[in-house]
Amino acid sequence: MVYLSMVLFQVVAPILIMLVIGAILQLKFRFNLKALSNLITYCLMPAAVFINIYETQVNAKVLSSIIVYLLIFSICLMMISWLFSKLLKLNRSQAAIFNNSIVLINSGNYGIPVSQMLFVANPLGTSIQVIIVIFQNIITYTYGLYNLISSTKSGLDILRSLLRLPIVHALIIGAIMNFWNIGLPITFRIPIEYLANAFISIALITLGAQLAQIELKTIFNKVIFTSTVGRLIIGPTLALGLILLMGFDGVVAQSLFIASAFPTSRNSSTLALEYDVEANLAAQIVLFSTIMSCITVTIVIYISTILWG
């Protein structure tokens, strides 16, 4: 119980405080959230991704195992979300939002800050989270987009959207420089580290600002409730089974398990708004799952330390 309290007050509570600060600032000053989102996507997150990949050694065998795990985990979530959408008898647009809400995870401006706080003494944990972020972006701009606009957007257009993401370029460059042991001049390293260090605070404040604009209209809506249970409870339960089955241990197991418990990705709401598909429902799911994740993520972190700490 003492450690559970420590996790709550030293990891989850600081994140919650940053979200509240972002929400308050947004209500008072009405930030341009599109500009802040672009700052994170095209500047701060790529810097954080590059530094983490550049500075960390990930065994090729472990990396391949992680990718296999992520594929199996995502496919299982897709099947579970499809089954629940049928049981709930959702129409096509509602089903698309529901499926995305369970499969698409907020691994970026929620997951990376959590990992950086948890694994400050072991960068491998954060590097694994970076890999998950890249994987989740691929899922978002393939499966997620297909759910929403399969009739209007070609596979080639989806691929172009993915390749335009700076984090993909940062990952590739960081991996190449890491593999070939290419030195990074101090003139470039210092500003990149400044940007990477700014990522946590700006990302969390922006997420809080985004959540402040969402109206929570129907708390007991069956779609919102089932989606939250699927994302925050069924997801980690599935992940735990796969982790034990595949024999992961230590920091790798901890990082994968904790990453499975993060709330619904804000991208699911952003895409729904952009393509006018049940945008209100998508936004409410993001808000409700983020609020509830303060409890569930704390519990998952606690369990992970018992099993692999």
Side-chain angles (χ1 to χ4, degrees):
M1 184 60 69
V2 173
Y3 191 83
L4 185 61
S5 299
M6 186 176 71
V7 169
L8 175 62
F9 290 111
Q10 294 186 14
V11 178
V12 177
I15 291 175
L16 185 59
I17 290 171
M18 294 296 288
L19 294 179
V20 171
I21 290 172
I24 293 172
L25 290 174
Q26 175 62 19
L27 292 174
K28 182 173 178 59
F29 297 109
R30 297 293 175 182
F31 295 133
N32 183 336
L33 293 184
K34 180 66 174 177
L36 285 175
S37 181
N38 287 340
L39 175 64
I40 293 170
T41 302
Y42 291 94
C43 186
L44 303 183
M45 188 183 292
V49 167
F50 172 82
I51 285 294
N52 278 285
I53 292 297
Y54 177 70
E55 293 183 343
T56 305
Q57 299 295 326
V58 180
N59 183 278
K61 184 178 180 181
V62 173
L63 178 60
S64 61
S65 297
I66 290 172
I67 293 173
V68 171
Y69 159 85
L70 290 174
L71 284 170
I72 296 173
F73 179 64
S74 297
I75 291 172
C76 289
L77 286 181
M78 291 174 191
M79 294 172 63
I80 290 170
S81 63
W82 176 84
L83 177 61
F84 273 111
S85 68
K86 293 299 181 184
L87 292 175
L88 292 171
K89 298 180 179 178
L90 304 179
N91 61 43
R92 186 172 179 179
S93 59
Q94 289 177 329
I97 296 301
F98 180 84
N99 294 342
N100 281 353
S101 72
I102 293 179
V103 178
L104 305 185
I105 305 172
N106 195 343
S107 302
N109 59 351
Y110 190 109
I112 289 183
V114 171
S115 295
Q116 289 181 327
M117 290 180 183
L118 283 173
F119 303 109
V120 63
N122 194 334
L124 175 61
T126 303
S127 294
I128 291 172
Q129 184 59 41
V130 168
I131 294 168
I132 295 172
V133 170
I134 301 297
F135 184 86
Q136 272 291 313
N137 273 281
I138 293 173
I139 294 293
T140 298
Y141 288 96
T142 52
Y143 173 82
L145 271 179
Y146 178 80
N147 274 339
L148 296 174
I149 52 168
S150 57
S151 61
T152 60
K153 199 175 184 75
S154 70
L156 185 59
D157 289 333
I158 293 174
L159 179 61
R160 288 196 189 103
S161 297
L162 177 63
L163 293 178
R164 281 198 294 265
L165 290 175
I167 57 171
V168 175
H169 308 152
L171 172 68
I172 294 171
I173 295 171
I176 291 173
M177 294 182 68
N178 183 314
F179 182 79
W180 293 103
N181 197 25
I182 300 173
L184 182 63
I186 193 71
T187 303
F188 296 104
R189 187 185 187 94
I190 290 176
I192 292 175
E193 287 183 343
Y194 283 163
L195 293 172
N197 291 336
F199 169 72
I200 298 179
S201 56
I202 301 300
L204 290 175
I205 286 175
T206 301
L207 179 58
Q210 290 173 323
L211 294 177
Q213 292 193 326
I214 299 173
E215 295 181 7
L216 189 60
K217 296 179 180 177
T218 314
I219 295 179
F220 298 107
N221 182 298
K222 66 178 181 179
V223 179
I224 297 174
F225 177 79
T226 308
S227 165
T228 302
V229 170
R231 174 81 300 283
L232 301 181
I233 298 177
I234 296 177
T237 303
L238 170 64
L240 178 60
L242 286 175
I243 289 167
L244 295 175
L245 184 65
M246 297 181 69
F248 290 112
D249 198 11
V251 173
V252 176
Q254 273 189 291
S255 186
L256 293 176
F257 184 43
I258 294 168
S260 72
F262 295 141
T264 299
S265 171
R266 65 181 176 84
N267 286 333
S268 64
S269 175
T270 302
L271 289 175
L273 181 61
E274 183 175 349
Y275 295 101
D276 195 25
V277 180
E278 298 285 350
N280 269 345
L281 176 63
Q284 290 178 66
I285 289 174
V286 170
L287 176 57
F288 194 65
S289 69
T290 301
I291 293 172
M292 296 307 298
S293 72
C294 296
I295 299 171
T296 56
V297 169
T298 302
I299 295 172
V300 167
I301 292 172
Y302 177 61
I303 294 173
S304 75
T305 57
I306 294 175
L307 294 176
W308 302 290

